[in-house]
Amino acid sequence: MPTPYSVMVVCTGNICRSPMAEVVLRERFAAAGLADRVVVDSTGISAEEHGNPVDRRARAVLQGHGYPAGDGHRARQVRAGDERDLVLAMTNAHARALRRLDVEPVLYRSFDPAATGDLDVADPWYGGAQDFEDCLAQIEAAADGIVEHVRAELGNAQVSRHG
């Protein structure tokens, strides 16, 4: 069996945005029949939340939309050498931090066909329930584009192995 395609989502503390996106992407890859070919994880650029679970408000919005709550998740900091096939940064600031670690990211919202201007996924941490709803909406809006990108990458890898 070939090595799975690996995706990592990165935010600040790895308790809100990136674990929410990790859950959504896992569900979308499973729905696309790619669960056995793609692995998704998440990290943060900061160590301040290291070991903490998914934020309770993020859990609530995920569950409210029919997603798993991210049980078992523990925040961890991205490290140099954390290589994946696709690294998705939630903001431009996260992308800059990743580049300092020699990790080349792509902005998560760049896969949202309706996104224009600022491609940062809004940080819900300091807000209320609506901010977490808005964050999930931004994550969902880009998820299908990410799935299609990975599907194309998998197809290209298969062609290059056989062609």
Side-chain angles (χ1 to χ4, degrees), residues 11-16 18-19 22 42-55 70 72-79:
C11 70
T12 303
N14 191 218
I15 60 168
C16 295
S18 60
E22 177 184 347
S42 63
T43 59
I45 59 168
S46 167
E48 66 190 278
E49 298 289 347
H50 183 79
N52 288 337
V54 176
D55 180 272
H73 173 82
R74 293 291 175 256
R76 73 174 193 86
Q77 184 178 20
V78 66
R79 297 177 304 270

Side-chain angles (χ1 to χ4, degrees), residues 71-118:
D71 294 339
H73 173 82
R74 293 291 175 256
R76 73 174 193 86
Q77 184 178 20
V78 66
R79 297 177 304 270
D82 276 349
E83 294 185 23
R84 304 292 188 281
D85 295 303
L86 178 62
V87 177
L88 298 165
M90 287 299 195
T91 68
N92 282 289
H94 300 139
R96 285 190 298 277
L98 288 163
R99 286 186 195 104
R100 286 192 293 272
L101 295 173
D102 289 325
V103 174
E104 193 53 46
V106 179
L107 286 174
Y108 187 94
R109 284 193 68 211
S110 68
F111 292 96
D112 176 354
T116 58
D118 180 13

Side-chain angles (χ1 to χ4, degrees), residues 7 9 17 20-29 67 86 88-91 106-116 118-122 133-151:
V7 178
V9 188
R17 289 172 285 186
M20 288 170 67
E22 177 184 347
V23 166
V24 169
L25 288 175
R26 279 190 184 145
E27 293 292 304
R28 297 286 176 94
F29 284 122
Y67 291 104
L86 178 62
L88 298 165
M90 287 299 195
T91 68
V106 179
L107 286 174
Y108 187 94
R109 284 193 68 211
S110 68
F111 292 96
D112 176 354
T116 58
D118 180 13
L119 294 179
D120 287 358
V121 174
E133 291 285 343
D134 294 345
C135 180
L136 180 61
Q138 288 182 326
I139 288 168
E140 289 178 321
D144 288 339
I146 293 166
V147 170
E148 289 311 310
H149 171 80
V150 171
R151 185 190 307 277

